Amino acid sequence: MSILKLGIPAGSLQEATAELFRRAGWNIKFQSRSYYPAIDDAEIECMSIRAQEMARYVADGVLDAGLTGHDWIMETGADVHEVAELMFSKVSRRPVRWVLCVPEDSPVRSVKDLEGKRIATEVVELTTRYLESHGVSAKVEFSWGATEVKPPRLADAIVEVTETGSSLRANHLRIVDEILESTTRFICNHDAWNDPWKQHKIKDIVTMLQGAMNAEDHVYLAMNLRRDTLLQILDILPALQKPTISSLADDNWVAINTIVLEKEVRTLLPRLLEAGASGIVEMPLNKIIG
């Protein structure tokens, strides 16, 4: 039987990834001190790898495919095939940003002011290329963690990843410039993509993951209404696509099925009732595909 060797990002993205796979139809279970999570699919073999290393192991063929950030693909320079962008992270569905920061009271106002200075970061290659693109020569040091606390004693500036900016503000840091915006990518190596079975399996997984993400924050609404109120109801509904309209046994009545954002329901339902809708049913969605 053919097997797809799939890398699951360890660390901060692990739980978010497992939850996405669960909504897509796969259950992944992590065991203490094991780098091989169990998955309820005999055609997939999982391995937990740090996102920072994922692209390199996929490119080298240790793994067929995996999930990692665009930032780590760029940092490692790994030659991989990017199958799809998956807009999720450990906190939200927003991209993360790698930003150049200095202490709030620092005289530094632009990257040009960092000539000859010391910069701490986990993305040494990204930072070095960024400085070169601005004609700035500075000492870039790898940071093993707690990068936010290093200025001003251990570094003049840092390049750090942020999603909400709260950690930067808590450490009294000011953003000077944005270096890179990054989202999660589903990647595979070129040999896996050129293998018909593996490519088909990868496409199936990505389709289901994207379907689960598309359904996030949406609900299904069904309702009955008199035909003469149809246009009024349609004006109220902010449908994902055109609503499905079906005739009922009584020709004077129709049924509408549609998909809306869950947060819109609290204002939609009263308006729909006022317009004459009845028998309104709201249901959660698992996936939206196509």
Side-chain angles (χ1 to χ4, degrees):
M1 180 173 61
S2 297
I3 298 292
L4 183 77
K5 295 177 291 184
L6 179 65
I8 302 297
S12 61
L13 270 180
Q14 179 175 290
E15 291 306 317
T17 302
E19 174 58 20
L20 177 59
F21 269 82
R22 185 195 66 76
R23 289 190 284 113
W26 287 272
N27 289 311
I28 300 176
K29 294 185 178 179
F30 300 92
Q31 300 174 351
S32 177
R33 298 184 181 181
S34 173
Y35 293 99
Y36 297 94
I39 186 169
D40 57 348
D41 186 331
E43 296 178 341
I44 300 176
E45 179 184 284
C46 291
M47 185 175 185
S48 289
I49 296 287
R50 283 169 55 87
Q52 293 90 326
E53 302 175 289
M54 186 74 72
R56 178 164 56 87
Y57 284 119
V58 170
D60 291 346
V62 177
L63 298 166
D64 295 313
L67 290 85
T68 189
H70 174 64
D71 46 1
W72 298 115
I73 300 171
M74 298 297 293
E75 171 69 8
T76 60
D79 181 17
V80 294
H81 178 73
E82 292 192 24
V83 182
E85 179 181 35
L86 301 173
M87 277 294 251
F88 79 101
S89 65
K90 63 181 179 179
V91 176
S92 69
R93 291 187 63 174
R94 292 179 295 181
V96 297
R97 299 180 299 145
W98 284 93
V99 292
L100 175 65
C101 301
V102 295
E104 289 176 346
D105 58 358
S106 170
V108 172
R109 295 296 163 183
S110 77
V111 63
K112 298 290 187 181
D113 297 328
L114 290 170
E115 179 70 32
K117 303 295 186 180
R118 187 188 304 267
I119 304 172
T121 185
E122 194 177 352
V123 286
V124 173
E125 293 301 319
L126 276 176
T127 303
T128 300
R129 292 197 295 268
Y130 166 77
L131 292 172
E132 289 174 350
S133 71
H134 286 82
V136 174
S137 177
K139 183 175 179 59
V140 181
E141 296 181 340
F142 180 77
S143 174
W144 293 93
T147 309
E148 298 99 326
V149 303
K150 293 189 173 178
R153 291 187 178 183
L154 301 179
D156 299 291
I158 65 170
V159 171
E160 180 64 322
V161 67
T162 183
E163 191 167 341
T164 65
S166 58
S167 180
L168 299 179
R169 290 189 294 271
N171 286 281
H172 307 290
L173 295 172
R174 169 170 49 85
I175 296 175
V176 174
D177 197 8
E178 180 178 308
I179 293 178
L180 181 73
E181 188 174 82
S182 177
T183 55
T184 303
R185 309 294 169 93
F186 194 107
I187 62 172
C188 67
N189 59 55
H190 298 292
D191 287 341
W193 192 247
N194 291 328
D195 180 293
W197 182 88
K198 290 182 179 179
Q199 183 183 131
H200 188 269
K201 185 69 175 180
I202 288 167
K203 286 182 175 179
D204 284 351
I205 295 171
V206 168
T207 295
M208 300 307 287
L209 292 176
Q210 290 177 327
M213 293 184 68
N214 290 340
E216 195 172 83
D217 303 326
H218 287 82
V219 294
Y220 174 88
L221 281 185
M223 68 201 76
N224 297 331
L225 55 137
R226 291 188 61 85
R227 193 178 293 274
D228 58 11
T229 65
L230 179 57
L231 293 179
Q232 185 180 354
I233 296 291
L234 291 178
D235 283 341
I236 295 172
L237 289 172
L240 180 67
Q241 296 176 338
K242 292 183 178 179
T244 300
I245 304 171
S246 307
S247 296
L248 297 179
D250 185 337
D251 288 339
N252 293 319
W253 286 77
V254 295
I256 286 184
N257 302 311
T258 192
I259 296 170
V260 300
L261 284 167
E262 185 176 17
K263 66 181 181 181
E264 295 177 337
V265 173
R266 63 191 180 200
T267 54
L268 272 177
L269 260 58
R271 294 179 62 199
L272 291 169
L273 287 170
E274 290 171 0
S278 64
I280 302 174
V281 177
E282 175 191 348
M283 292 181 286
L285 293 170
N286 290 325
K287 301 170 192 70
I288 300 175
I289 298 175

